[in-house]
Amino acid sequence: MSNAVSYELSGAIAVLTIDNPPVNALGLAVRQGLVEGIERAETDSQADAVLLIGAGRTFPAGADIREFGKPPVDPYLPEVVARIEACTKPVIAAMHGTALGGGLEVGLSAHYRIADKSTRIGLPEVNLGILPGAGGTQRTTCIAGAKATLDLATSGKPIDANAAHALGIIDRIADGDLKDAALTYAHELITAGAAPRPSGKRDEGLADETANRAAIDATRATLSKRARGQFAPFRIVDCVEVALEKPISEGLAFEREQFLACMGTPQRQGMIHAFFAERTCTKVPEASRAQPRPLKQIAVIGGGTMGAGITVAALNAGLPVVMVERDAESIARGQANVEKVYDGMIKKGRMDDAGKAKHMALYTPATEYSAMSDCDLIIEAVFENLEVKQDVFRQLDQIAKPGAVLATNTSYLDVDAIANVTSRPQDVIGLHFFSPANIMKLLEIVVPSDPADDAVATGFALAKLLKKTPVRAANKDGFIGNRIYKAYGLCATYMMEDGASPYAIDKAIYDFGYPIGIFQVHDLAGMDISWANRKRLAASRNSEERYSAVQDKMCEAGHFGQKTGRGMYVYPEGARKGEENPDVLKIISDEQARLGITPRDFTQDEIMRRYMAAMVNEGAKVLQEGVALRPSDIDVVALYGYGFPRYRGGPMKYADMYGLENLLADLREFEKEDAYFWKPADLLVDLVANGRSFEDLNKES
Ligand code: CAA
Ligand code: NAI
């Protein structure tokens, strides 16, 4: 027997235990072991039934994703599940933990299923750009119908054991110890003379033809918006449709074809890259050297946009928060900002009054810094002004308990300049949340010049507690995200000034897969903020840098964005979606006339070629300067903080797939018109010269 699956007899039951930590993924050894185990049980005269169970924390959580993209090795998962389903003795699957993807498909190939009540059951393949390739779309439809299968497989979200039981996917919920309950169930089945019951031959799910048809049509309609640009979700619907119309053998063959088609797409590469990238980003030197400090009580200074969002994120995680503001009026506003979030949820039916009260019970408003003296972590989110922040940190130094971690949420300021006003700079880090902080998953953890390892580790521990995705960034202007954002923002502005309409630029970006275009983002964030930042940096701006005054002129005329009802777009009363703003088009053409620019056309392709070249080139500079640890961390920042389409993996993954030599050739071409902005990063030139990729750097990190 393969050592990943053990065989033992418990009375008349052959127990096959899958043991392949950490998540019992269905790698080659497990697949071989399952086939061997089933064959042995069939010929074992003492075995009347077979029990499949996972050792450790879970029933298999899916295929082994690390094998994807490599040549497949026999037995493939569809063969394994076919072999289990064809077993001449009843097979019972006992599930716990996360029975996901191929794991659930193995469960479905058994004839009966029992699950621990905390089991999560799902078909998350769509999150990896693929679909359940071992009968998941077919057998689930046979049992539970089209709607349930489509919900599971197109959302990728797992359901709990009770819900799966209600759908007929699970036959019984285990009471007490899973293995004991499963053995009891198996004995009952033997006593009752239960025969093998292949899921593929069941038809409860096929009975209501009208409902099944309606589910197919409704899902296609919602996916056309929700899964715009994606391949796999639509193939899942096709598979379920075939399950309704064709015999199971044809359905399985069709599903296999679609699975292989998904495997061949760049989207699969992008999404699997994202899966590993968002796990790798938590691996940082400081956290590997030190344990985090305790995190029982935190404080947030400032109750504005960010302070309130951070507070809600912490309250939602069950962390008590002291919020400190300047005076009674400001703290009342801060508290109102927090309550507004919960009231919004109540209005949408996502929370009730009791839920709000439970969260607010953890909230303490204050106007005195001494209220924070017991806190383990203090996050400052006051105005973006160095003197104001330094003043706050001087006061914190007086009152914070020894060992408290002091954090700043600054977007651009120098964290060392803030840390160094205290007597304990080693305890100071940057925690750069994104707006709205209770929703956005990205958290840049900014590491100044000489922090204590455990202070940094505490930042990562906080991210885990708040269910955020943390990325380590060195302390340099704009850190990772805002610095790269600024570069491709400039690129968009230059294209606009050279003749591409801002609306065509936004459309190209939207069609690429972003939820909205960059000028729509500017309108949402408010252009006054970047205007202030440009003024701040005016004195230090390099004279070689091309400067576009279009947005300054817009701000001077009050086109700040949604907050003033007009920016790059105009927003008629109450509208969230904007219309073209003729005043802006006039400002652009006036600027072109002033600068002697003859506007020219840009195709969508050229717009995106420039946009991506600017983004990746700045990413390469961020890497060569050590601001990001690895290319995949930059991808995570773009995916979680800036709406980069997940199915493209992130900008650095995109660049690898586009070809670094092609990207460099684009930069060389653009460099002829603006040698300063388009200067290729040395790292990129180096990688191309040595035939290497960003993925090579990921592997070395
Ligand atoms: N294959 C290979 N490695 C896997 C894996 C998989 N299916 N699932 C998790 N891992 C690895 C992770 O990369 C991580 O490794 P490191 O410790 O080296 O970083 C380790 O297992 C633990 O994973 P998490 O840190 O994610 O642990 P968690 O407890 O937070 O989450 C989980 C556990 C819910 C199972 C989560 O890992 C998960 O969602 N896994 C993927 C599930 C999935 O997508 N399954 C479908 C696979 S595709 C398929 O099955 C296709 C098919 O039909 C043929
Ligand atoms: P805001 O203006 O909405 O809120 C700032 C709050 O700080 C105000 O309520 C003010 O009363 C309070 N405050 C000022 N001085 C104080 C003091 N000495 N003690 C206590 N409270 C004080 O600003 P916002 O947008 O929340 O930004 C806060 C910080 O977060 C800034 O550093 C900003 O750069 C950063 N940031 C902002 C993002 C955004 O999208 N708004 C995103 C990420 C970071």
Side-chain angles (χ1 to χ4, degrees):
M1 286 288 296
S2 132
N3 57 6
V5 180
S6 65
Y7 184 101
E8 58 162 337
L9 270 178
S10 175
I13 318 292
V15 180
L16 304 189
T17 306
I18 302 161
D19 190 3
N20 182 28
V23 296
N24 286 327
L26 295 155
L28 178 62
V30 175
R31 299 199 304 274
Q32 284 171 336
L34 283 170
V35 172
E36 286 166 19
I38 290 290
E39 285 175 352
R40 180 166 163 190
E42 263 184 343
T43 56
D44 188 338
S45 59
Q46 295 183 44
D48 292 333
V50 188
L51 178 65
L52 303 180
I53 193 163
R57 62 197 245 203
T58 184
F59 197 73
D64 188 337
I65 301 168
R66 285 172 211 275
E67 289 181 356
F68 290 0
K70 297 180 186 153
V73 186
D74 251 352
Y76 309 147
L77 198 56
E79 295 164 359
V80 175
V81 299
R83 187 66 194 86
I84 299 172
E85 191 171 55
C87 182
T88 50
K89 297 177 181 176
V91 182
I92 298 103
M95 307 184 184
H96 73 297
T98 41
L100 301 177
L104 178 56
E105 291 175 307
V106 166
L108 287 165
S109 71
H111 306 128
Y112 301 91
R113 281 162 291 282
I114 179 168
D116 182 81
K117 58 177 177 303
S118 63
T119 315
R120 312 279 298 157
I121 284 155
L123 293 171
E125 289 87 344
V126 71
N127 297 328
L128 303 173
I130 55 173
L131 52 81
T137 63
Q138 306 299 299
R139 294 189 176 90
T140 317
T141 307
C142 292
I143 297 174
K147 178 162 191 323
T149 310
L150 290 167
D151 286 352
L152 276 173
T154 63
S155 77
K157 290 198 184 112
I159 54 174
D160 63 24
N162 277 327
H165 185 243
L167 291 169
I169 295 171
I170 301 295
D171 299 297
R172 186 180 284 197
I173 308 275
D175 217 4
D177 180 75
L178 175 66
K179 190 169 171 190
D180 290 348
L183 287 169
T184 305
Y185 184 35
H187 281 117
E188 281 173 32
L189 288 167
I190 295 169
T191 309
R197 184 190 53 161
S199 302
K201 297 219 168 108
R202 289 173 63 176
D203 57 10
E204 301 94 304
L206 309 180
D208 190 341
E209 287 179 17
T210 315
N212 282 336
R213 186 70 246 164
I216 297 278
D217 295 342
T219 309
R220 282 212 174 100
T222 49
L223 288 179
S224 64
K225 291 202 190 83
R226 186 161 59 78
R228 181 174 55 90
Q230 291 187 50
F231 184 74
F234 298 94
R235 303 293 80 75
I236 290 172
V237 187
D238 296 344
C239 289
V240 174
E241 191 168 39
V242 170
L244 298 174
E245 292 167 356
K246 298 268 163 78
I248 182 82
S249 56
E250 284 183 42
L252 290 173
F254 181 79
E255 183 198 71
R256 190 70 193 157
E257 258 172 43
Q258 302 308 309
F259 175 79
L260 292 174
C262 291
M263 280 299 245
T265 60
Q267 297 193 357
R268 186 271 300 169
Q269 287 185 51
M271 287 179 111
I272 289 183
H273 172 79
F275 176 87
F276 287 115
E278 68 207 12
R279 283 164 175 75
T280 307
C281 60
T282 59
K283 292 170 185 148
V284 300
E286 293 85 358
S288 73
R289 290 192 295 256
Q291 288 300 314
R293 299 180 191 171
L295 263 180
K296 299 223 159 36
Q297 161 96 46
I298 73 164
V300 175
I301 312 180
T305 310
M306 293 309 289
I310 297 166
T311 300
V312 171
L315 296 177
N316 289 349
L319 260 182
V321 183
V322 178
M323 178 191 273
V324 175
E325 261 286 357
R326 292 176 289 178
D327 48 43
E329 194 185 313
S330 313
I331 190 62
R333 211 172 37 239
Q335 175 159 346
N337 286 341
V338 171
E339 294 199 38
K340 200 159 77 191
V341 176
Y342 290 124
D343 290 340
M345 290 170 77
I346 292 173
K347 220 164 137 194
K348 287 186 190 140
R350 296 203 197 130
M351 182 176 274
D352 56 16
D353 289 339
K356 176 182 168 187
K358 191 183 98 191
H359 287 108
M360 290 307 292
L362 296 171
Y363 170 85
T364 309
T367 51
E368 297 297 328
Y369 276 45
S370 57
M372 298 181 278
S373 58
D374 276 340
C375 291
D376 303 308
L377 165 70
I378 301 174
I379 305 171
E380 163 278 311
V382 306
F383 303 132
E384 183 76 346
N385 174 298
L386 185 61
E387 285 75 37
V388 175
K389 288 192 192 286
Q390 285 176 328
D391 183 50
V392 167
F393 274 76
R394 273 188 208 99
Q395 292 184 65
L396 284 182
D397 198 22
Q398 301 302 311
I399 59 94
K401 70 180 181 187
V405 176
L406 311 181
T408 170
N409 182 47
T410 180
S411 304
Y412 289 99
L413 300 174
D414 176 1
V415 179
D416 277 312
I418 297 170
N420 289 337
V421 301
T422 72
S423 62
R424 40 175 137 176
Q426 75 282 357
D427 290 341
V428 178
I429 58 172
L431 287 177
H432 185 218
F433 288 83
F434 286 69
S435 180
N438 52 314
I439 307 239
M440 295 293 286
K441 290 265 170 255
L442 180 62
L443 176 58
E444 283 183 328
I445 304 212
V446 184
V447 177
S449 45
D450 195 17
D453 286 340
D454 59 355
V456 177
T458 308
F460 280 83
L462 177 80
K464 190 163 184 197
L465 219 56
L466 304 192
K467 298 198 173 70
K468 302 276 180 211
T469 304
V471 173
R472 181 191 188 282
N475 175 31
K476 243 184 150 180
D477 197 62
F479 314 127
I480 299 175
N482 281 346
R483 166 150 168 208
I484 297 175
Y485 173 72
K486 183 176 162 193
Y488 59 83
L490 272 178
C491 166
T493 302
Y494 297 157
M495 287 192 283
M496 174 179 73
E497 207 172 59
D498 288 340
S501 118
Y503 313 110
I505 295 173
D506 274 358
K507 176 159 186 334
I509 294 167
Y510 177 80
D511 288 349
F512 183 82
Y514 274 90
I516 54 176
I518 190 153
F519 295 116
Q520 288 166 313
V521 174
H522 287 177
D523 273 5
L524 207 63
M527 275 191 279
D528 49 327
I529 294 177
S530 44
W531 191 27
N533 209 32
R534 281 194 299 279
K535 286 189 215 159
R536 176 175 73 91
L537 295 175
S540 58
R541 187 174 307 118
N542 192 308
S543 58
E544 286 174 76
E545 184 183 324
R546 173 175 172 183
Y547 189 78
S548 166
V550 170
Q551 282 161 25
D552 294 347
K553 298 252 149 71
M554 286 174 61
C555 289
E556 283 161 19
H559 301 278
F560 283 176
Q562 291 199 14
K563 62 171 79 165
T564 54
R566 58 208 169 104
M568 201 59 88
Y569 297 77
V570 281
Y571 302 86
E573 197 62 46
R576 293 191 62 185
K577 212 168 168 320
E579 293 158 13
E580 298 188 4
N581 183 349
D583 294 352
V584 167
L585 295 174
K586 171 87 173 52
I587 291 175
I588 297 170
S589 58
D590 286 352
E591 274 303 290
Q592 286 164 341
R594 184 177 70 83
L595 297 166
I597 295 172
T598 310
R600 69 172 182 91
D601 287 337
F602 285 75
T603 60
Q604 277 219 354
D605 179 61
E606 183 179 0
I607 291 171
M608 287 319 294
R609 223 154 45 93
R610 283 173 180 263
Y611 200 67
M612 289 310 302
M615 195 182 303
V616 174
N617 196 34
E618 195 66 21
K621 290 179 186 167
V622 158
L623 268 175
Q624 81 194 18
E625 291 168 27
V627 179
L629 279 182
R630 48 179 87 87
S632 66
D633 281 5
I634 295 177
D635 290 332
V636 172
V637 167
L639 294 175
Y640 282 91
Y642 297 84
F644 195 92
R646 186 179 170 84
Y647 63 80
R648 294 187 187 272
M652 309 315 263
K653 176 69 185 174
Y654 172 88
D656 270 355
M657 291 198 280
Y658 181 71
L660 296 191
E661 64 290 356
N662 297 329
L663 198 115
L664 183 60
D666 285 346
L667 289 168
R668 295 278 186 227
E669 180 190 328
F670 308 147
E671 201 184 4
K672 290 179 198 143
E673 64 196 52
D674 182 348
Y676 178 80
F677 181 74
W678 290 110
K679 182 178 181 329
D682 295 342
L683 176 70
L684 193 60
V685 175
D686 223 57
L687 288 174
V688 172
N690 293 296
R692 302 181 79 224
S693 64
F694 288 125
E695 186 55 21
D696 291 327
L697 300 182
N698 285 328
K699 287 189 190 128
E700 285 166 12
S701 76

